[in-house]
Amino acid sequence: MDNREAIGSWLSGPRAAAEEMGADYGHRGKRLGLPEDGPGAIAPVGRRVGALFIDWALSALIAFGLLAGRHLEGTNNWALVVFLVMSLLTVGTVGSTPGKRLLRLRVVSLDGLGKLPVWRAAVRTVLLGLAIPALVWDRDNRGLHDRLSGSVQIRT
């Protein structure tokens, strides 16, 4: 192996280097028993971010109109509270927030792929509110908040 190959594997990252050595990762969600495409597959990152923006916009609108007294200064603080309450109530009951519902996504439990129990939705919501766990992903594009709550976001 010459220096160019060593630099190339370093720049490509550990996954590319492992794949060059013969490791087979398969598609995202394969380890979880999920299909590669279609309903039940891992939710794409773009749709998840889009759902987050929709949910945040809705939360900010509710906070501005109902809780912040129509003052922009306090809207974002109240929007976070509304976002977390909305996430807890909607994910804990129907499995998706309004943004996820619009973009055809759902949060399900990994054990049996059913609805996420309310206590696990609460764990997921608290971790989501901390933001950092949602920014740390594994190779299946699951955030730390999903891993610790035993959930996965799928397409519907």
Side-chain angles (χ1 to χ4, degrees):
M1 174 162 81
D2 65 12
N3 287 338
R4 290 175 297 180
E5 289 178 25
I7 291 172
S9 67
W10 177 76
L11 291 174
S12 303
R15 180 179 177 142
E19 286 175 344
E20 284 178 14
M21 292 188 291
D24 179 26
Y25 288 108
H27 63 273
R28 302 217 186 269
K30 182 177 181 178
R31 295 181 313 140
L32 306 173
L34 301 176
E36 186 172 1
D37 290 318
I42 292 280
V45 175
R47 278 196 205 175
R48 290 170 49 190
V49 171
L52 177 66
F53 279 118
I54 291 169
D55 291 336
W56 186 261
L58 182 61
S59 298
L61 186 64
I62 291 170
F64 178 76
L66 299 178
L67 300 171
R70 297 186 187 263
H71 298 300
L72 286 176
E73 298 83 31
T75 298
N76 278 334
N77 294 333
W78 282 111
L80 179 61
V81 172
V82 171
F83 177 80
L84 294 175
V85 169
M86 178 177 64
S87 180
L88 174 63
L89 293 177
T90 57
V91 170
T93 56
V94 295
S96 61
T97 62
K100 288 182 190 347
R101 177 70 60 137
L102 282 173
L103 297 180
R104 299 183 313 140
L105 302 177
R106 193 162 169 231
V107 178
V108 296
S109 176
L110 269 180
D111 50 359
L113 295 181
K115 189 179 73 148
L116 194 64
V118 175
W119 72 270
R120 285 176 41 194
V123 169
R124 183 181 186 278
T125 300
V126 168
L127 292 171
L128 184 61
L130 296 175
I132 299 299
L135 298 174
V136 178
W137 295 358
D138 65 6
R139 69 180 185 195
D140 291 317
N141 285 346
R142 289 175 57 215
L144 190 56
H145 65 298
D146 281 327
R147 288 186 58 112
L148 294 176
S149 65
S151 64
V152 63
Q153 294 185 54
I154 60 169
R155 297 177 184 176
T156 58

